[in-house]
Amino acid sequence: MAENSRQQWLSPEMTPLPKPPGHVSGLFGIDRGLFLLPSRIAVDVTRRQAIGFISHAHMDHAAHHALALCTETTARLVRHRLGNVTTKVMPWGQPIEVAGHVLKALPAGHIFGSAMLYTEHQRGSVLYTGDFRLEESATAEPAELCQADYLIMECTFGHPRYRLPPRATVIEMLIEKVTQSISRGATPVISAYVLGKSQEVTKILTSAGIPVLQDPAVYEISQIYQEAGCDLGDFRLYSGRPVPGCAVIVPPRSVTAGGLPGALHVERFHVTGWAMDPRRQRTAPNDHWIPLSDHADFDQLLTAVEQVSPKAVFCTHGPKSFVEELRSRGHDARWLE
């Protein structure tokens, strides 16, 4: 451990998490982010690296690497957000060899083009999920899990309070409330992330016959979706004036208590898995809260572990209590840090 105290390489000889005892893969290491060994290919590391896998184009998973490994759609989105990034495209399900590693991209179901990373080594196989969702999506490719010796899993909603209602119920709720808002003569203004959630909500609403106006930042991303083959239906750029019968989609925090510029009567919507948390709802009790998520909920996380059937699970980006939940179910689970 000569480089620095923050660097922590996981190996059979060093088990940094001694409770409970168990096998550690030796296939990956932590240095302010996840790296494959021995090559040091970065995995969703947010600072520039020589080679980095980017699971999707949200900025908490991407960086301007010298060489970025990603899907074709993610490459388009990364170039839009970060500039001229050199990319090596990973076709779905097809192994590619990079720096001595055989790598495979599998759909993650999170947003359009999002990918899990699978790699095999003589010491065992690893599946890294990144952000993922097992439930159907209006815009993302359906998730494809596979068996692996070691599972590195994002577990944002790893608490039982985040058992989301069935997707069909949530979509029906969204469409019904937006339709009612329009019938009252209001402008339904939906707050959603610029990349991913905005496009999915757009597709859901336009498929139900509700045209959509989009904030310019959302609209730019939606054009890339269209060019990459994901048709979002009847949407247009919001020009500063609402159109009767249309919903408006904006980035989070774009709508203030005073409403939306150009609109007289606004009803605000928040479309997020965090809608399941009463504390979030209390921050804006008069708004509509729709629990539509692009992350796996608590039950989907448990399902993913069962389907992958790994020797050990490494959890990240969620409550540490989820590790204890997995251990109580007989899994060798660790917190990755």
Side-chain angles (χ1 to χ4, degrees):
M1 301 297 288
E3 291 192 33
N4 61 57
S5 59
R6 292 178 299 181
Q7 187 177 63
Q8 181 184 72
W9 298 118
L10 305 184
S11 70
E13 293 74 29
M14 177 176 292
T15 304
L17 295 175
K19 296 182 179 180
H23 185 69
V24 178
S25 72
L27 299 176
F28 51 88
I30 300 298
D31 180 12
R32 291 179 296 149
L34 177 66
F35 293 82
L36 298 182
L37 295 179
S39 66
R40 241 188 109 85
I41 293 176
V43 180
D44 278 354
V45 172
T46 56
R47 62 191 191 281
R48 182 178 172 86
Q49 302 294 316
I51 305 175
F53 169 77
I54 300 178
S55 64
H56 64 287
H58 285 153
M59 289 298 95
D60 59 340
H61 290 258
H64 199 300
H65 301 306
L67 176 64
L69 313 175
C70 55
T71 66
E72 174 62 38
T73 299
T74 296
R76 295 184 185 212
L77 292 166
V78 165
R79 285 193 290 267
H80 170 75
R81 308 194 93 180
L82 292 178
N84 188 25
V85 180
T86 300
T87 60
K88 181 176 181 63
V89 170
M90 302 179 70
W92 293 120
Q94 296 184 23
I96 65 169
E97 185 170 349
V98 180
H101 290 270
V102 177
L103 308 173
K104 187 188 300 184
L106 300 173
H110 176 55
I111 65 171
F112 189 36
S114 63
M116 303 182 192
L117 180 66
Y118 176 80
T119 182
E120 292 182 339
H121 188 275
Q122 61 183 6
R123 294 188 177 185
S125 56
V126 177
L127 177 65
Y128 166 79
T129 67
D131 291 339
F132 76 104
R133 166 179 49 182
L134 299 185
E135 205 168 34
E136 180 185 357
S137 168
T139 50
E141 300 86 351
E144 294 182 15
L145 294 168
C146 66
Q147 289 193 328
D149 295 318
Y150 303 100
L151 173 63
I152 304 173
M153 184 172 70
E154 176 275 339
C155 55
T156 296
F157 289 139
H159 190 284
R161 77 164 63 95
Y162 297 110
R163 283 187 163 104
L164 302 180
R167 177 180 169 82
T169 301
V170 176
I171 289 176
E172 182 180 355
M173 179 193 307
L174 173 63
I175 294 171
E176 180 180 4
K177 289 185 177 295
V178 168
T179 301
Q180 290 172 350
S181 176
I182 291 172
S183 70
R184 289 190 286 267
T187 299
V189 178
I190 300 162
S191 172
Y193 295 128
V194 168
L195 167 58
K197 186 64 66 64
S198 287
Q199 288 71 35
E200 181 168 22
V201 172
T202 295
K203 181 65 174 180
I204 289 170
L205 293 180
T206 61
S207 296
I210 301 170
V212 169
L213 305 177
Q214 295 182 341
D215 175 272
V218 174
Y219 186 79
E220 288 181 1
I221 298 292
S222 295
Q223 294 301 304
I224 297 173
Y225 268 56
Q226 294 282 119
E227 293 165 4
C230 184
D231 183 16
L232 300 178
D234 182 10
F235 73 95
R236 287 164 277 168
L237 178 66
Y238 182 64
S239 62
R241 292 183 177 274
V243 175
C246 292
V248 180
I249 297 182
V250 300
R253 295 181 294 277
S254 292
V255 185
T256 66
L260 181 74
L264 296 178
H265 180 196
V266 164
E267 290 188 15
R268 296 185 295 182
F269 291 72
H270 306 273
V271 182
T272 171
W274 300 114
M276 297 298 293
D277 189 340
R279 294 171 296 182
R280 294 292 182 105
Q281 296 189 26
R282 285 196 291 270
T283 64
N286 296 321
D287 295 355
H288 302 285
W289 290 84
I290 310 296
L292 180 71
S293 178
D294 48 19
H295 289 80
D297 73 353
F298 182 77
D299 289 326
Q300 290 178 46
L301 293 174
L302 296 176
T303 296
V305 174
E306 295 300 328
Q307 289 188 11
V308 175
S309 188
K311 296 177 181 177
V313 184
F314 296 83
C315 298
T316 183
H317 293 99
K320 293 187 177 181
S321 60
F322 188 65
V323 169
E324 298 302 325
E325 177 71 35
L326 291 178
R327 289 174 179 171
S328 73
R329 295 168 180 262
H331 299 287
D332 181 1
R334 323 285 184 81
W335 186 255
L336 190 67
E337 58 185 358

